[in-house]
């Protein structure tokens, strides 16, 4: 399970860490013309036309909302949250999801974490800004925070923030 020794706060990723996700990034990329090896959010931000960006964001939103309605707790994710609750440590979620999809996933699964930062709150991971915002809010040194995720962007964000990390 989680090694919480020396940890004063735990931040979780959402998709693939706390809840299952069936987002089809290949289909989303194909629909908006994003190369498979490029970050989809960066691709959209770099589109030359506002209307193209809006349309691409709508494609992503439609996929995220459909996925959100079906997302269920992962057993490992639930056990990790319960361990952090038992240790009486503050928790947060930092996700590349939009607020609307995140809220659906959290509400539908009764996830007991209210401090949630989405891509609307700060630059998307691997940028460390959202993780550092949480540490600052808690007034905890980043080195005393643990970030739990499932993807290389989670590891990079934690490393960029000076936090300990674990991939599940």
């Amino acid at each position: 399970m989680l090694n919480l020794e020396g940890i004063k706060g735990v931040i979780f990723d959402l998709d693939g860490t706390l809840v299952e996700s069936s987002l089809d990034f290949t289909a989303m990329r194909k629909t908006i013309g994003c190369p498979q090896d490029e970050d989809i959010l960066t691709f959209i931000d770099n589109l030359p036309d506002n209307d193209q960006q809006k349309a691409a964001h709508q494609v992503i939103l439609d996929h995220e909302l459909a996925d959100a309605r079906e997302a269920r707790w992962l057993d490992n994710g639930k056990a990790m949250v319960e361990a952090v609750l038992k240790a009486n440590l503050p928790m947060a979620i930092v996700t590349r999801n939009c607020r609307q999809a995140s809220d659906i996933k959290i509400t539908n699964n009764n996830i007991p974490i209210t401090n949630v930062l989405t891509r609307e709150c700060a630059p998307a991971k691997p940028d460390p800004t959202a993780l550092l915002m949480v540490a600052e809010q808690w007034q905890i040194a980043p080195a005393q925070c643990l970030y739990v995720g499932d993807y290389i962007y989670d590891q990079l964000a934690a490393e960029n923030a000076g936090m300990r990390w674990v991939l599940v």
Side-chain angles (χ1 to χ4, degrees), residues 93-106:
I93 293 172
V94 170
T95 179
R96 287 171 57 100
N97 267 303
C98 67
R99 169 64 61 187
Q100 193 175 356
S102 298
D103 287 348
I104 291 168
K105 291 175 183 186
I106 291 164

Side-chain angles (χ1 to χ4, degrees), residues 6-11 84 89-91 138 140 144-147:
I7 297 299
K8 294 189 177 179
V10 180
I11 306 168
V84 177
L89 297 174
M91 289 184 286
W138 288 340
I140 297 173
Q144 295 175 312
C145 295
L146 176 66
Y147 187 64

Side-chain angles (χ1 to χ4, degrees), residues 62-120:
D62 292 344
H63 279 267
E64 285 182 330
L65 293 177
D67 178 65
R69 290 186 280 276
E70 303 302 318
R72 297 292 171 255
W73 263 113
L74 290 167
D75 290 340
N76 194 34
K78 191 171 192 174
M80 288 185 294
V81 168
E82 288 170 353
V84 177
L85 282 170
K86 187 176 178 182
N88 200 29
L89 297 174
M91 289 184 286
I93 293 172
V94 170
T95 179
R96 287 171 57 100
N97 267 303
C98 67
R99 169 64 61 187
Q100 193 175 356
S102 298
D103 287 348
I104 291 168
K105 291 175 183 186
I106 291 164
T107 300
N108 286 353
N109 291 286
N110 296 310
I111 297 173
I113 301 174
T114 56
N115 189 358
V116 180
L117 277 72
T118 64
R119 67 173 178 257
E120 292 96 346

Side-chain angles (χ1 to χ4, degrees), residues 19-82:
V19 298
E20 62 190 14
S21 175
S22 59
L23 283 173
D24 186 345
F25 287 97
T26 300
M28 285 190 278
R29 282 186 173 92
K30 186 175 183 179
T31 302
I32 65 172
C34 177
Q36 290 299 321
D37 62 344
E38 191 168 339
D39 177 74
I40 198 165
L41 295 177
T42 302
F43 174 82
I44 293 171
D45 288 344
N46 290 329
L47 287 171
D49 179 276
N50 252 357
D51 290 336
Q52 288 177 310
Q53 288 180 358
K54 264 180 136 172
H57 278 298
Q58 187 62 50
V59 167
I60 303 302
L61 178 62
D62 292 344
H63 279 267
E64 285 182 330
L65 293 177
D67 178 65
R69 290 186 280 276
E70 303 302 318
R72 297 292 171 255
W73 263 113
L74 290 167
D75 290 340
N76 194 34
K78 191 171 192 174
M80 288 185 294
V81 168
E82 288 170 353

